[in-house]
Amino acid sequence: MYIIISLFFTYAMGVISYEFGFFSYMFIAVFALLFFNSYCTKKYIFNIVIITFLILSFINCYYNSISKLAQYIDENIEITAKIKDKNISESSYSSYNASIISINDTILPDDENTIIYIDKKYDVKGNSIIKAKANVADINISKNRLLFNYKNYLRSKKISAVVFAEGNITTIKENYSYLNNISSNFKNYAERTFYNSLSDSNADIILSILLGNVDYLDENFYDNVKTMGLAHIFAVSGTHIVLLYGFLLTVLKYCNLNRRLRLIITWIIIWFYGFLIGFPISVMRTLVMFTLLFGAEIFYRKYSSLNAIGLAALILTIYNPFWIFDAGFLLSFSTALSIIVCNKYILKNVQTKNTIIRLIYLYLFLMLFTLPVIAYFFNYVPVMGIVYNMLLLPIFTVLMIYGFILLIFNGTISFLLIVPFRIFDYLLYSLRYAVSFTEKFGFNGFTIQTMSISLIVFFYIMIIFVIYVYNNNNSPIKKSGIYTLIVMYIVTFMTPSNNFLYINVADAGQGLFTHVKYKDTDLIIDCGSSNNRNFGQYTVLPYFIKRGVNQIDGVFISHWDSDHYSGLNDLLNSKIKVSNIFAPIASDEINKDISILNNGMSYRIDDKLNIDILWPEKDITADKTNNTSLVMLINYNNKKILFTGDIEKEVENIIINDIPDIDILLVPHHGSSTSSSDEFVYKSNPEIAVFSYGKNKYGIPNKEVIERYKNEKSLILSTYNHGEINFVLKGDKIYYNTYMSTKSESYYELYFLGFTTKLTAFCILLIYIFKYKGEVYELQNYF
């Protein structure tokens, strides 16, 4: 029945398996399953189509991963580029959306999308073709699990590298594209209209609503909007298209046009509007679905909303398969799917005809259905959004339609619109006040940690089962299903904490940020970066929020250099509670009591875990701040982990006799030549040497230092090459895994052990419940 849904599901699984490196296994499994199905059912054509779409996913992913520009990373080249439009930016460079058409005078077979950064002293116009010398830069990303990945975001725009123009810019041609010129002129006309007639702050609001670009908005204002659950209003979405669609049909109805003609005119206008604002993903999804709806209406064919949403997803991901991982794509389609499911299976059984109550049902189900997507990307659930949407959505509808009308007529009768613009300005001021007023409320929503894959699967199984029971109340498997879900939840998510020690060395760029977790204790050892701006806001806080950590028992700052503590103040000013801060000396950099540590002290957690302080001496004064660094030896089940801060050779020589053989060493001073002397490396003899560093101009890490550790047969891991590094210490074994998927040989033992333990517990508990509740017959009768 839902053939398109089946095709998209197969295609999506192919894209996901390609991205995570198990496509060959996926292909073999699907091929074997379809071969067996063909043998049993003799349905060859459908199975051939399914396997064709699986192959298509691989070909499409491979094709979209090819980048000519990325082959010139860190090189100077000469480019010819089409400048599409200018981005809103407050940096010293102007950034432009562009496509490269030639490199070093060699024409590319296909234009390649990029972002070009140009010094603001050069006046480069949109919709022009330029020639310039440029340096190609890789996309700088923070390689940490669960955190926002800028590289993946740009890949959804088919961008693999960015370009910094150097020297003179030569404009070869202006207004190279008639279509781009129309879109650019519309944007410029909209900006002139509203900036000349409204206050700047109010113009920003209506431009964001109509053009779908939140970069117009003040950051604090937009944060409030997201807290209220109204962000979809300011980034043109399906809501805008639905409102525009309804408004146009109503207006055209009064023109005495027949329904078919009204639909055609409306279809043309909303597609033209989508073109003018650049076809955002959510708008493309809605336009494709409306196109299918119009086709069904015009040609009198049955319309299937589920097949329509499947076809829309398939069309978009064939154009760019990596949209499957885009937040906008997932949120847009999950929202649309939740509305379809709610209308089809929930609201049809709701007895009341009260519109407000039905809207509450719809909004609650929408929030529930999209919860995994919201938890993964945003970690905030705007509970009060249901109230704000019901109160303010009608106002936004009026503002959007009012804004369109003013925009349309301003070019012809602007002299008559002075009073309407003044009224519009007051309406927008009222909206700003309403948004700002919500800041005073004690509760608008709550933060939520990112869901694991197992929890997401359980979550949607639960929703499907609840919907099934809701529509089939007398089903024979009702009680059995409920018991199964309860047991699955207990076994999977309510197991007691284990005795493993987790050490996570995050990618901090040029710096160090380490999270140590043991049972219910969470510790931080340094949290700073010298080349990641707003490191606390964009790395440290999201890191813990996404993992559901709301209390830090201790923060150890090795010394007061920014690359070791720059994220601390944001952490202290957040809702995450920090119980203690430890450091070798006091500092005026933070407004919180600091416990001073020196050699001979210990931080004991239990009989298995203890932290010994090896350096510095009490009341130390040193010519170099680096040599005041805390040196901490973690002892866990006879395993030794050494944190050294930025100590240099002088301190290494002092503490060398206190250092045993080390299992995991956080290499001193990020691998600088001033540290890791031959004697220190030989004495510590680390099994694993971890280098935490980013792109820098200091020559870190030093090649000779790396060779010293290699000569001692140490395994070399670095945050620069491997991204976030995760260690799990269980008993006398050390397991490791990295962001770039470098794993210890025995790492899968952890998965196998966890899976078999929970599966055994699940089976035993389920059998016990069915045996003593007398429900076994239900399963037998059903199967």
Side-chain angles (χ1 to χ4, degrees), residues 430-615:
S430 300
L431 175 64
R432 291 185 68 86
Y433 176 79
V435 172
S436 300
F437 184 73
T438 61
E439 280 189 288
K440 302 175 183 179
F441 293 172
F443 178 77
N444 282 308
F446 59 87
T447 56
I448 181 173
Q449 72 180 84
T450 300
M451 293 183 177
S452 65
I453 297 298
S454 57
L455 182 55
I456 291 173
V457 171
F458 170 81
F459 187 83
Y460 281 115
I461 289 175
M462 181 188 69
I463 288 180
I464 293 170
F465 178 76
V466 169
I467 292 174
Y468 173 80
V469 171
Y470 183 73
N471 286 273
N472 301 272
N473 195 41
N474 297 321
S475 170
I477 66 166
K478 178 180 177 180
K479 291 184 179 179
S480 302
I482 292 173
Y483 292 148
T484 303
L485 287 173
I486 291 173
V487 172
M488 186 185 298
Y489 182 82
I490 291 172
V491 171
T492 306
F493 309 111
M494 296 184 67
T495 52
S497 59
N498 55 50
N499 294 323
F500 302 171
L501 175 65
Y502 299 88
I503 299 176
N504 304 315
V505 184
D507 175 21
Q510 186 57 34
L512 179 63
F513 170 35
T514 309
H515 173 218
V516 177
K517 185 173 184 63
Y518 177 69
K519 296 182 179 178
D520 296 324
T521 299
D522 289 275
L523 306 175
I524 293 175
I525 301 177
D526 285 338
C527 59
S529 175
S530 60
N531 60 1
N532 286 353
R533 290 184 300 173
N534 301 315
F535 180 69
Q537 180 181 356
Y538 295 122
T539 301
V540 177
L541 291 182
Y543 187 94
F544 291 115
I545 289 172
K546 287 182 174 294
R547 288 161 176 78
V549 177
N550 52 34
Q551 177 169 328
I552 304 297
D553 299 281
V555 177
F556 295 83
I557 301 298
S558 63
H559 62 297
W560 298 104
D561 279 353
S562 63
D563 60 333
H564 289 258
Y565 84 93
S566 64
L568 182 56
N569 277 321
D570 284 324
L571 181 66
L572 295 176
N573 293 326
S574 72
K575 294 181 180 179
I576 298 174
K577 181 182 177 182
V578 176
S579 300
N580 300 285
I581 298 178
F582 303 97
I585 56 177
S587 173
D588 296 329
E589 301 292 338
I590 62 170
N591 185 25
K592 190 174 176 68
D593 292 338
I594 299 172
S595 299
I596 305 301
L597 298 178
N598 50 68
N599 58 342
M601 292 183 173
S602 292
Y603 186 91
R604 182 182 177 83
I605 296 176
D606 66 11
D607 293 338
K608 291 186 177 181
L609 183 61
N610 187 64
I611 301 175
D612 294 327
I613 308 301
L614 305 184
W615 184 262

Side-chain angles (χ1 to χ4, degrees), residues 726 728 735-737 743-751:
N726 309 113
V728 181
Y735 304 89
Y736 65 85
N737 185 23
K743 298 179 176 67
S744 55
E745 293 181 0
S746 56
Y747 190 79
Y748 288 106
E749 289 179 5
L750 291 173
Y751 291 117

Side-chain angles (χ1 to χ4, degrees), residues 225-485:
V225 166
K226 289 188 289 186
T227 300
M228 297 172 68
L230 295 172
H232 60 99
I233 296 295
F234 291 90
V236 176
S237 62
T239 304
H240 292 67
I241 302 301
V242 170
L243 294 175
L244 186 59
Y245 164 75
F247 172 74
L248 290 172
L249 284 181
T250 302
V251 171
L252 293 174
K253 184 178 181 179
Y254 290 102
C255 297
N256 293 322
L257 300 175
N258 64 57
R259 180 169 176 78
R260 183 176 293 187
L261 187 57
R262 295 201 304 269
L263 287 172
I264 292 173
I265 294 173
T266 301
W267 179 82
I268 292 172
I269 292 175
I270 62 175
W271 269 94
F272 185 63
Y273 174 58
F275 157 73
L276 290 176
I277 62 175
F279 289 123
I281 295 176
S282 56
V283 170
M284 283 298 296
R285 186 264 306 163
T286 310
L287 290 176
V288 171
M289 292 186 68
F290 268 119
T291 299
L292 295 173
L293 176 61
F294 292 160
E297 289 265 2
I298 292 171
F299 296 107
Y300 304 108
R301 294 290 186 268
K302 185 177 180 181
Y303 175 77
S304 169
S305 54
L306 284 175
N307 272 329
I309 195 173
L311 183 59
L314 194 58
I315 290 172
L316 293 182
T317 51
I318 286 176
Y319 171 74
N320 184 353
F322 299 118
W323 267 344
I324 284 178
F325 306 103
D326 181 79
F329 178 92
L330 291 173
L331 192 58
S332 174
F333 277 90
S334 61
T335 299
L337 184 60
S338 69
I339 293 173
I340 292 170
V341 171
C342 187
N343 285 326
K344 193 175 182 69
Y345 298 106
I346 305 296
L347 292 182
K348 74 173 186 178
N349 294 321
V350 175
Q351 299 299 319
T352 180
K353 299 298 181 181
N354 187 295
T355 303
I356 293 178
I357 294 177
R358 294 177 71 85
L359 282 174
I360 292 173
Y361 269 101
L362 178 62
Y363 188 86
L364 290 176
F365 185 79
L366 187 153
M367 186 182 296
L368 181 69
F369 197 88
T370 59
L371 188 61
V373 179
I374 293 171
Y376 186 87
F377 289 103
F378 308 108
N379 298 105
Y380 182 80
V381 180
V383 176
M384 293 296 293
I386 184 171
V387 177
Y388 298 138
N389 272 274
M390 292 178 65
L391 293 177
L392 296 180
L393 191 57
I395 298 175
F396 277 111
T397 303
V398 171
L399 290 175
M400 190 180 79
I401 301 303
Y402 197 161
F404 271 123
I405 293 172
L406 292 176
L407 200 59
I408 291 169
F409 290 105
N410 185 63
T412 54
I413 55 171
S414 57
F415 60 94
L416 296 177
L417 299 179
I418 296 175
V419 173
F421 268 116
R422 183 64 58 85
I423 295 172
F424 195 47
D425 213 17
Y426 283 124
L427 288 174
L428 290 169
Y429 272 124
S430 300
L431 175 64
R432 291 185 68 86
Y433 176 79
V435 172
S436 300
F437 184 73
T438 61
E439 280 189 288
K440 302 175 183 179
F441 293 172
F443 178 77
N444 282 308
F446 59 87
T447 56
I448 181 173
Q449 72 180 84
T450 300
M451 293 183 177
S452 65
I453 297 298
S454 57
L455 182 55
I456 291 173
V457 171
F458 170 81
F459 187 83
Y460 281 115
I461 289 175
M462 181 188 69
I463 288 180
I464 293 170
F465 178 76
V466 169
I467 292 174
Y468 173 80
V469 171
Y470 183 73
N471 286 273
N472 301 272
N473 195 41
N474 297 321
S475 170
I477 66 166
K478 178 180 177 180
K479 291 184 179 179
S480 302
I482 292 173
Y483 292 148
T484 303
L485 287 173

Side-chain angles (χ1 to χ4, degrees), residues 205-217:
I205 291 176
I206 192 61
L207 286 170
S208 176
I209 293 174
L210 297 185
L211 302 182
N213 188 349
V214 297
D215 290 338
Y216 284 106
L217 298 176

